[in-house]
DNA sequence: TTTTGTGTAAACATATTGTTAATGGAAAAC
DNA sequence: GTTTTCCATTAACAATATGTTTACACAAAA
């Protein structure tokens, strides 16, 4: 399962931050490398072919966004994970820039724990999306093609529906608390109303036409045939 | 499981913020306490032994970081959850301090909803630990899947029924006083009538169909085959 | 017998979820 | 650039499961 250590390249012009991030990720078993500015980041990235690149937005020579755009234009970096570090003041002006292909962004000031957990989450997500098709009974859920199949016939789910179903089905039988579902599918910062999960559950049940999502009242939901 | 209310200590020198946070967390069922500066925070923390401490970084007498470091050096606070509140201006100068052992941080200005969801997430992470499957004879109680199985056939219990059974079965043979049961399953602040436990016990007996819950008259109940 | 504690069923209240329709926004099609 | 379609979310209400109390029966101890 846990194969070779993932390589992470961290680019920031503040040595302190580099050190803290590097230290904390190394402690988690990642192989860390650092770059001190935009040009350095590009160079190192080409050399190392890291699995994840953490880019500060504000850096000398090239901003994180420029680095990201440059790398994304290369075939070898299509699938490389990228996280932006943004000062809060950057936010509005640069959120658009996140459309350049970042997989997540973390705002400063940085809590090592938060960053580490985001990184872990990202790798988890990738590991799953990397071909981990879930099959339970006659139901197959393919995260690569974004398709659910029951006895061969394909069913199209919307994004949230799919993510929710995939989460539940990834551990069949296990109950997911509503909170858990929220933070896994919607994220910790997004707040949605109480009925949102229900509505999506209903759509899933409706579309699948098979009774495979069970309610555990007062607790949550589970996937089960 | 969802037992007694968690104690949360909130330390900030702005009364307004204290009130907002306190109000919103109390609404969620937490037991909230407040401290108005660093020294106060330390003192209250030692008195209350809260489950979670929310610390503003900038406070008179002692900063949140200092409070955190001080508490973390005490054995009693090794496992206490700590969240920092950081203003934007704190940023780089205090990032180092965040490695003192915070479990999360939330930046100002604070959205009550975000804070509440972070708090919930944090507690959820902790609660996850006690999800061990209990097996006694041919009865299996699995809190992860939320089912009870007798000889392989699954039995669905309601939440309270399940929690009650899980409590008893977690220490087979041991007698649980009615008081104990109340505080463990219902929590200390919930008041219910005398017959409530009985009714749940009866439902458990009824659903399980096996005589495994024994009455110890004048004392309580125990799980026993 | 009286007292005390428990078992049980039904009634009631509440909490939680299910469902539908409406809204606004984003993406896709034109 | 405009229209159209689809999706995520919310609000409002219905439906249901669950939790609690009530009332009384029953049993064991005092």
């Amino acid at each position: 399962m846990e194969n070779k250590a993932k390589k992470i390249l961290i680019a920031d012009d503040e040595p302190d931050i580099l050190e803290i991030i590097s230290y904390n990720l190394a402690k988690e078993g990642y192989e860390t490398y650092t770059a001190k500015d935009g040009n350095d980041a590009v160079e190192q990235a080409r050399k190392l072919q890291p699995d994840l690149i953490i880019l500060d937005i504000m850096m000398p020579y090239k901003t994180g966004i420029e680095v990201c755009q440059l790398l994304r234009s290369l075939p070898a970096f299509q699938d490389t994970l990228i996280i932006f570090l943004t000062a809060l003041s950057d936010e509005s002006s640069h959120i658009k820039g996140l459309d350049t292909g970042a997989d997540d962004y973390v705002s400063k000031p940085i809590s090592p724990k938060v960053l580490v957990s985001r990184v872990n989450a990202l790798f988890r997500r990738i590991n799953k999306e990397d071909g981990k098709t879930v099959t339970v009974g006659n139901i197959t859920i393919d995260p690569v093609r974004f398709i659910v199949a029951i006895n061969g016939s394909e069913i199209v789910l919307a994004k949230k529906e799919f993510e929710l179903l995939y989460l539940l089905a990834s551990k069949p039988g296990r109950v997911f608390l509503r909170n858990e579902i929220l933070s896994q599918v919607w994220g910790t910062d997004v707040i949605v109303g109480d009925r949102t999960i229900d509505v999506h559950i209903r759509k899933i049940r409706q579309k699948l036409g098979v009774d495979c999502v069970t309610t555990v009242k007062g607790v949550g939901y589970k996937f089960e045939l």
Side-chain angles (χ1 to χ4, degrees), chain A:
Chain A
M1 201 76 191
E2 204 81 66
N3 28 28
K4 63 177 173 242
K6 301 285 187 183
K7 280 187 274 190
I8 301 180
L9 173 62
I10 309 148
D12 197 313
D13 54 334
E14 286 189 65
D16 281 356
I17 294 188
L18 275 186
E19 195 191 321
I20 292 173
I21 296 178
S22 179
Y23 168 73
N24 280 282
L25 289 173
K27 209 168 55 180
E28 280 284 301
Y30 295 106
E31 212 173 301
T32 61
Y33 303 88
T34 57
K36 62 183 183 306
D37 59 52
N39 285 338
D40 194 15
V42 173
E43 193 185 325
Q44 300 249 27
R46 308 183 82 141
K47 240 187 267 172
L48 297 165
Q49 287 291 327
D51 300 285
L52 163 67
I53 305 175
I54 299 175
L55 290 171
D56 186 29
I57 299 245
M58 298 305 277
M59 285 189 295
Y61 307 121
K62 280 195 177 62
T63 68
I65 294 175
E66 287 166 336
V67 172
C68 179
Q69 285 173 325
L70 200 158
L71 291 176
R72 278 283 191 251
S73 70
L74 306 172
F77 291 94
Q78 292 303 314
D79 298 326
T80 307
L81 296 174
I82 294 181
I83 292 181
F84 278 130
L85 302 181
T86 66
L88 286 187
S89 48
D90 297 342
E91 263 200 44
S92 50
S93 59
H94 286 301
I95 280 184
K96 280 274 175 191
L98 293 175
D99 235 0
T100 52
D103 297 283
D104 198 355
Y105 80 101
V106 175
S107 54
K108 297 185 177 185
I110 289 158
S111 148
K113 290 203 176 186
V114 168
L115 181 63
V116 165
S117 85
R118 293 277 187 94
V119 168
N120 285 334
L122 219 49
F123 278 120
R124 238 181 292 129
R125 216 165 76 201
I126 294 309
N127 271 340
K128 280 179 188 165
E129 286 179 8
D130 251 9
K132 283 234 171 163
T133 298
V134 173
T135 303
V136 183
N138 54 357
I139 300 180
T140 301
I141 304 168
D142 182 346
V144 175
R145 302 193 303 151
F146 222 79
I147 276 174
V148 178
I150 300 184
N151 291 325
S153 61
E154 295 184 351
I155 295 165
V156 179
L157 296 186
K159 194 170 154 215
K160 281 275 189 294
E161 293 159 17
F162 188 90
E163 287 171 3
L164 176 48
L165 176 63
Y166 188 70
L167 172 67
L168 297 180
S170 65
K171 293 192 190 298
R174 169 179 165 187
V175 177
F176 289 82
L177 313 184
R178 295 177 86 90
N179 273 336
E180 258 177 302
I181 294 173
L182 278 181
S183 62
Q184 294 284 326
V185 178
W186 275 265
T188 43
D189 292 346
V190 183
I191 307 302
V192 292
D194 280 9
R195 300 270 66 72
T196 303
I197 293 180
D198 308 26
V199 172
H200 285 278
I201 291 281
R202 162 161 162 61
K203 285 189 199 143
I204 290 171
R205 285 172 172 156
Q206 198 170 254
K207 285 187 179 177
L208 294 197
V210 182
D211 185 32
C212 57
V213 179
T214 307
T215 303
V216 181
K217 225 173 167 177
V219 185
Y221 295 92
K222 63 179 170 179
F223 183 90
E224 190 174 58
L225 282 181

